[in-house]
Amino acid sequence: MSAGLPVHPGEPWSSGVRRRADGELEVAGVGVHALAAQHGTPAYVLDEADFRARARAYRTAFETAFRAVGTDVDVYYAGKALLTVAVARWAHEEGLGVDTASGGELAVALRAGVPGAQVGLHGNNKSDAEIDRALEAGVGRIIVDSLAEVERVAAVAAARGTIAPVMVRVTTGVHAGGHEYISTAHEDQKFGLSVVAPASADGHGADGPSPAMATLLAVVARPELRLLGIHSHIGSQILDPTGFQVAARTVLELRADLAARTGVLVDEVDVGGGYGIAYLPGEAPLDPAHVARDLARAVADAAADLGTPLPRFSIEPGRAIAGPAGLTLYTVGTVKPVQLADGRVRTYVSVDGGMSDNIRPALYDARYHAELVGRTSDAEPVLARVVGKHCESGDIVVHEVMLPGDVRTGDLLAVPATGAYGRSMASNYNFLTRPPVVAVADGASRVLVRRETVDDLLALDLG
Ligand code: LLP
């Protein structure tokens, strides 16, 4: 490992990551030994400048591209990727709104001081209490996900004596993303309303409007609701941006159809999140400037073809902002060589966390990279699998990675690109306590969310 270590490791590490001459990795000027000594391991380490730069990059790329075709754009950071009070504040300070998926996420955004008007509330099964809290906070948009919800939001708004700003989430039939469970535009899934009208009983033609259109019509008919626009989220970890363009055109067609039926031309179109990142060395993330330029052109073309004015546009990137900014720092415990059927040896390297701090390998078969980050080694690399400490054989952190053959107890190991959907999907399986979220900037680290303790967990157990 000592030979040819790049000074800047590049993808998939955050931009503040460097290798010192002695092989120690540092994040924004803070070495991993200092981070481990101060905060313990496992720890989520977040490169603040990198997070902010990616938030800015998405905002400026989309603003530039959409202004060039004559409309404006709002970028909402999808808080489900990683949400802490500081993180919500960073997104806000960089000019982004915050997309929330529950009352809990909404509470974090509000605690951070994000104005309600710049917050959106999603969810396929919002409670009345969540809807009520959102209206009380003056959220900019509630994204309605079913016909039944139209009535529920209208009733809560009526009870408050207010008018609720809503978007309707539709499914466009565009399937995108890396794994079926994260491709939310499939028709046979719980999210959104299909733009395809149901077939008639005799199998010929359509029997009335599509679920999407029926819901839009229901919103238009309710005086307690103001229809802002149409929303579509096509999937996650998307590396081919064509799907966004196809989905946007479908949404614009629906918008034109609604205008033809009702005279209501909605102002806004949102194509959600899903912008893919690099998880492994050599992978290329989506470039926001390219995606934005092609999407803006596709939207402008579609609007022109349909003879409708351009809508205001919005997007909701989560992973692309938080993912690359974070790494997880672990300490190596047990190292065990295991003979494989084909004669090879796989070295199982156990770390002090696992599926409780990163469920993505177990849930989606997601692939990650790992490196020893505390020292150099000239030992021959060996085929390794990084595993956690849980009572479960699927507790895999990194399926396959080459690590120095002298990897040993006490080594520091880092897994890059864990900023999104690591902490936010963490659990307490086996009563492990969730790691802290530590932000690093300008040569100093600070704890954004402290490590849980067993006492925290026991405090919930009333005996
Ligand atoms: N907007 C909506 C409506 C969404 O449903 C999502 C993600 C996003 C935005 C943000 O997508 P992103 O830009 O982060 O890809 N837990 C999974 C991903 C599920 C995402 C669900 N919705 C994972 O670990 O990959």
Side-chain angles (χ1 to χ4, degrees):
M1 289 252 305
S2 59
L5 272 182
V7 176
H8 174 240
E11 302 288 355
W13 301 93
S14 75
S15 50
V17 166
R18 301 273 183 283
R19 280 277 186 180
R20 292 177 176 167
D22 65 0
E24 180 179 355
L25 202 83
E26 63 175 40
V27 183
V30 184
V32 289
H33 285 296
L35 288 169
Q38 203 176 340
H39 306 289
T41 63
Y44 300 109
V45 178
L46 202 54
D47 182 341
E48 177 178 346
D50 186 271
F51 180 101
R52 287 178 178 274
R54 287 175 204 275
R56 268 198 309 280
Y58 266 83
R59 182 171 60 72
T60 50
F62 276 79
E63 280 175 1
T64 305
F66 279 82
R67 282 176 189 165
V69 300
T71 188
D72 231 319
V73 71
D74 296 301
V75 178
Y76 290 80
Y77 168 61
K80 69 203 80 192
L82 171 68
L83 199 61
T84 78
V85 170
V87 163
R89 195 177 295 134
W90 298 346
H92 174 58
E93 286 169 0
E94 298 303 336
L96 277 61
V98 177
D99 149 29
T100 64
S102 71
E105 289 185 2
L106 173 63
V108 181
L110 294 174
R111 171 72 65 85
V114 182
Q118 290 166 35
V119 177
L121 179 67
H122 271 278
N124 66 301
N125 187 24
K126 304 171 191 77
S127 69
D128 286 353
E130 287 173 318
I131 295 166
D132 191 55
R133 180 69 187 109
L135 292 178
E136 182 186 33
V139 297
R141 48 201 224 166
I142 295 177
I143 297 88
V144 164
D145 198 67
S146 64
L147 189 54
E149 196 186 339
V150 173
E151 299 308 317
R152 293 186 37 240
V153 177
V156 178
R160 287 203 145 265
T162 187
I163 294 179
V166 304
M167 298 185 89
V168 171
R169 179 166 174 176
V170 305
T171 52
T172 58
V174 178
H175 302 189
H179 188 284
E180 192 184 4
Y181 297 150
I182 55 176
S183 299
T184 47
H186 287 251
E187 307 296 340
D188 189 6
Q189 47 96 356
K190 69 177 185 169
F191 290 113
L193 292 141
S194 177
V195 299
V196 180
S200 61
D202 63 5
H204 298 294
D207 235 1
S210 66
M213 180 57 75
T215 307
L216 288 164
L217 293 171
V219 173
V220 170
R222 298 301 301 239
E224 307 89 343
L225 305 178
R226 183 160 56 91
L227 180 60
L228 296 178
I230 305 174
H231 187 289
S232 160
H233 170 79
I234 60 169
S236 224
Q237 183 53 13
I238 295 167
L239 292 168
D240 172 4
T242 326
F244 294 115
Q245 298 160 30
V246 177
R249 177 172 277 268
T250 303
V251 170
L252 284 165
E253 287 168 0
L254 183 65
R255 173 176 176 258
D257 186 8
L258 179 69
R261 289 172 188 245
T262 64
V264 174
L265 184 71
V266 296
D267 286 337
E268 191 166 334
V269 165
D270 191 311
V271 290
Y275 306 90
I277 65 167
Y279 280 99
L280 302 177
E283 283 184 345
L286 275 191
D287 171 10
H290 286 160
V291 180
R293 199 193 48 213
D294 293 351
L295 187 54
R297 203 171 292 150
V299 168
D301 289 349
D305 292 349
L306 294 162
T308 48
L310 272 168
R312 191 180 177 87
F313 212 75
S314 50
I315 58 163
E316 298 169 336
R319 179 195 326 264
I321 294 172
L327 62 79
T328 312
L329 189 59
Y330 298 103
T331 302
V332 171
T334 306
V335 176
K336 185 197 283 182
V338 172
Q339 180 96 42
L340 306 182
D342 63 8
R344 291 182 305 160
V345 171
R346 196 196 305 279
T347 302
Y348 276 77
V349 176
S350 298
V351 294
D352 48 354
M355 63 194 299
S356 55
D357 61 69
N358 189 359
I359 190 65
R360 299 190 72 260
L363 191 55
Y364 311 122
D365 202 20
R367 300 298 155 127
Y368 284 87
H369 175 62
E371 287 181 26
L372 288 194
V373 290
R375 64 180 175 98
T376 56
S377 166
D378 290 324
E380 270 301 301
V382 295
L383 176 67
R385 174 165 289 171
V386 182
V387 295
K389 60 179 289 165
H390 291 276
C391 197
E392 178 122 358
S393 52
D395 173 27
I396 292 169
V397 177
V398 180
H399 277 88
E400 201 161 78
V401 63
M402 300 303 288
L403 290 178
D406 63 350
V407 55
R408 55 182 180 253
T409 307
D411 270 333
L412 288 176
L413 182 140
V415 175
T418 57
Y421 305 112
R423 179 59 171 79
S424 67
M425 295 174 81
S427 77
N428 294 115
Y429 183 40
N430 296 140
F431 253 70
L432 261 66
T433 57
R434 288 176 297 174
V437 181
V438 177
V440 188
D442 300 326
S445 67
R446 71 187 166 109
V447 178
L448 303 186
V449 180
R450 71 159 168 81
R451 183 184 303 284
E452 258 173 353
T453 64
V454 172
D455 282 343
D456 287 332
L457 303 186
L458 282 173
L460 301 171
D461 185 330
L462 303 184

